[in-house]
């Protein structure tokens, strides 16, 4: 058995559904394409319009099932649309990958409480929202969403 066959047999990814926040560029792009190549139906949101165009073309050329949404994962409404669209299209959720995030290029001592709030929103708050949406969807499918 080849290593690819071994991995596919144990991972059991084929036919599953994943949502990826920040899934169009950099690390998110690599994760999205790897999941898709392993038979995962991927729904993603990203605010970078050029990256969204590139990932859309790559997913289409590979013949992968996907939902690609231009939007900001920090906005609850954008996440709600993504989760609702994936549920309507595929009726399940198996994996959530939160990639979206960022930082400032300034010394900590020069940042204000407003900057800290922005960092929390960019790197943590959207994770809470996405996870709160993912858990009931995973539980409903009987395959995940542990307490």
């Amino acid at each position: 058995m080849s290593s690819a066959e071994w991995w596919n047999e144990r991972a059991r990814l084929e036919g599953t559904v994943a949502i990826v926040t920040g899934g169009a560029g950099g690390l998110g792009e690599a994760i999205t394409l790897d999941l898709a190549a392993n038979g995962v139906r991927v729904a993603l949101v990203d605010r970078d319009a050029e990256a969204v165009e590139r990932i859309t073309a790559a997913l289409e050329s590979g013949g992968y099932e996907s939902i690609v949404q231009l939007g900001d994962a920090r906005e609850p409404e954008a996440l709600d649309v993504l989760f609702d669209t994936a549920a309507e299209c595929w009726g399940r959720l198996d994996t959530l990958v939160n990639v979206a995030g960022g930082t400032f290029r300034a010394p900590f001592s020069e940042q204000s409480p407003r900057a800290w709030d922005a960092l929390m929103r960019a790197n943590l708050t959207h994770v809470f929202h996405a996870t709160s949406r993912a858990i009931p969807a995973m539980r409903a499918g009987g395959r995940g969403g542990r307490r």
Side-chain angles (χ1 to χ4, degrees):
M1 175 181 293
S2 73
S3 62
E5 291 169 329
W6 178 89
W7 171 251
N8 287 336
E9 181 180 310
R10 278 149 188 82
R12 297 184 188 112
L13 292 174
E14 191 168 347
T16 63
V17 172
I19 288 181
V20 183
T21 67
L27 180 60
E29 176 185 17
I31 290 168
T32 296
L33 293 175
D34 191 55
L35 288 169
N38 280 281
V40 177
R41 293 170 284 180
V42 181
L44 70 93
V45 62
D46 202 296
R47 65 184 183 163
D48 181 335
E50 290 178 16
V52 165
E53 285 182 32
R54 283 193 312 272
I55 197 77
T56 298
L59 291 165
E60 287 176 358
S61 71
Y64 302 124
E65 284 189 74
S66 63
I67 297 167
V68 179
Q69 177 182 312
L70 176 62
D72 192 336
R74 297 173 300 178
E75 300 298 329
E77 298 79 17
L79 290 176
D80 289 341
V81 169
L82 183 66
F83 275 83
D84 292 345
T85 303
E88 289 171 17
C89 189
W90 299 312
R92 67 185 285 172
L93 178 61
D94 305 284
T95 304
L96 171 64
V97 181
N98 290 302
V99 179
T103 189
F104 297 112
R105 295 190 186 269
F108 180 78
S109 60
E110 295 176 16
Q111 295 179 15
S112 68
R114 185 174 173 173
W116 303 330
D117 288 342
L119 286 171
M120 293 296 286
R121 187 169 172 252
N123 294 291
L124 184 61
T125 308
H126 83 278
V127 173
F128 289 159
H129 187 84
T131 303
S132 74
R133 289 293 312 257
I135 291 170
M138 290 177 180
R139 284 183 178 158
R143 294 169 301 279
R146 301 284 187 254
R147 295 175 196 234

